[in-house]
């Protein structure tokens, strides 16, 4: 019995899964994130709908796989940008990582809608799919704590309150950009180009002297 056949089948299955997700992403871009149809995906791939169920048992399973794929991509974009930085200044590194996340979000609006806005009624990512997003929050917490340890931020910045405020203002900025100028580049966007200003406001709010008179 050949030992290569199972590997070949596994590779082919993985390839088909990726093709399904790519087609689903294209359809979501054209028809709307919540308007995904399994029948439409099957037709685009030239397969019968029952064949599609061999790979994904439901539409929610496709959303879940896309959520995980998108979360892995934006986490990698942030980490790669920080790893390639030529500075060790904690504030500059924070800006670099956040800018990479914002650029990725604008370049991938379908993923952004699925990841950061509740565009699909009833969809909740599985723990496995949500794991990369949780890692991104852990990275943010570590970045804020590094700024606290360096004396650049008040300790409150690295608390749940600080994380909630930071994610709210950055997501709000991106929401405004994607809603009003979806085709603009990050550098030219009326809202996205304000990201350094928004971060400066966050740092001023959590200045090391916060609460001191």
């Amino acid at each position: 019995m050949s030992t290569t056949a199972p590997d070949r089948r596994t590779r082919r299955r993985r390839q088909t899964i990726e093709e399904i997700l790519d087609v689903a992403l294209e359809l979501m871009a054209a028809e709307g994130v919540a308007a995904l149809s399994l029948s439409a995906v099957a037709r685009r791939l030239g397969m019968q709908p029952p064949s599609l169920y061999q790979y994904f048992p439901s539409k929610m399973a496709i959303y879940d796989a896309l959520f995980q794929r998108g979360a892995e991509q934006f986490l990698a974009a942030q980490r790669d940008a920080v790893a390639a930085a030529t500075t060790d200044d904690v504030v500059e590194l924070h800006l670099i990582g956040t800018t990479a996340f914002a650029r990725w979000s604008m370049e991938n609006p379908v993923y952004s809608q699925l990841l950061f806005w509740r565009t699909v009624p009833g969809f909740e990512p599985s723990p496995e799919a949500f794991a990369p997003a949780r890692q991104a929050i852990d990275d943010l917490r570590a970045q804020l704590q590094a700024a606290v340890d360096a004396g650049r931020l008040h300790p409150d910045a690295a608390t749940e309150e600080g994380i909630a405020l930071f994610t709210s203002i950055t997501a709000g900025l991106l929401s405004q950009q994607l809603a009003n100028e979806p085709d603009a580049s990050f550098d030219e966007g009326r809202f996205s180009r304000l990201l350094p200003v928004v971060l400066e406001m966050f740092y001023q709010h959590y200045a090391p002297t916060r609460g001191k008179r």
Side-chain angles (χ1 to χ4, degrees):
M1 182 180 294
S2 171
T3 59
T4 60
D7 290 338
R8 205 158 40 238
R9 286 198 296 269
T10 299
R11 288 196 298 271
R12 179 55 188 162
R13 179 177 177 80
R14 185 67 245 174
Q15 181 182 354
T16 301
I17 288 173
E18 292 301 320
E19 290 174 355
I20 291 170
L21 295 180
D22 288 341
V23 167
L25 202 65
E26 292 173 5
L27 291 172
M28 289 159 66
E31 307 294 337
V33 173
L36 182 63
S37 163
L38 291 183
S39 297
V41 173
R43 283 196 302 271
R44 181 72 67 89
L45 288 167
M47 65 170 62
Q48 294 298 317
S51 298
L52 191 63
Y53 290 118
Q54 297 178 22
Y55 302 94
F56 292 99
S58 67
K59 182 168 63 174
M60 291 301 179
I62 293 181
Y63 283 131
D64 197 62
L66 285 172
F67 188 102
Q68 181 171 351
R69 187 206 253 185
E72 289 172 347
Q73 288 183 14
F74 91 73
L75 177 63
Q78 285 183 299
R79 289 181 170 178
D80 289 349
V82 171
T86 57
T87 179
D88 58 2
D89 181 88
V90 291
V91 177
E92 291 181 16
L93 287 172
H94 194 190
L95 176 59
I96 288 169
T98 305
T99 298
F101 157 71
R103 287 185 185 277
W104 181 90
S105 297
M106 289 181 60
E107 292 167 1
N108 297 275
V110 176
Y111 278 128
S112 294
Q113 291 177 59
L114 181 62
L115 286 162
F116 310 124
W117 294 276
R118 288 184 175 270
T119 48
V120 181
F123 170 67
E124 291 285 346
S126 65
E128 181 181 5
F130 193 73
R134 190 175 299 281
Q135 292 173 29
I137 292 295
D138 290 341
D139 284 2
L140 172 59
R141 182 179 288 106
Q143 291 166 0
L144 294 175
Q145 187 59 54
V148 170
D149 295 342
R152 307 290 289 277
L153 283 175
H154 189 277
D156 288 350
T159 64
E160 292 303 315
E161 174 202 90
I163 292 170
L165 178 59
F166 184 85
T167 54
S168 295
I169 59 178
T170 51
L173 180 145
L174 289 170
S175 178
Q176 284 285 82
Q177 182 61 54
L178 291 171
N180 291 280
E181 295 178 340
D183 297 322
S185 69
F186 173 83
D187 295 309
E188 297 176 351
R190 183 158 52 104
F191 301 96
S192 56
R193 65 171 179 254
L194 296 176
L195 182 62
V197 178
V198 168
L199 293 186
E200 177 62 25
M201 292 169 62
F202 178 86
Y203 272 77
Q204 289 180 3
H205 181 70
Y206 287 111
T209 56
R210 186 187 195 206
K212 295 182 181 178
R213 294 177 182 270

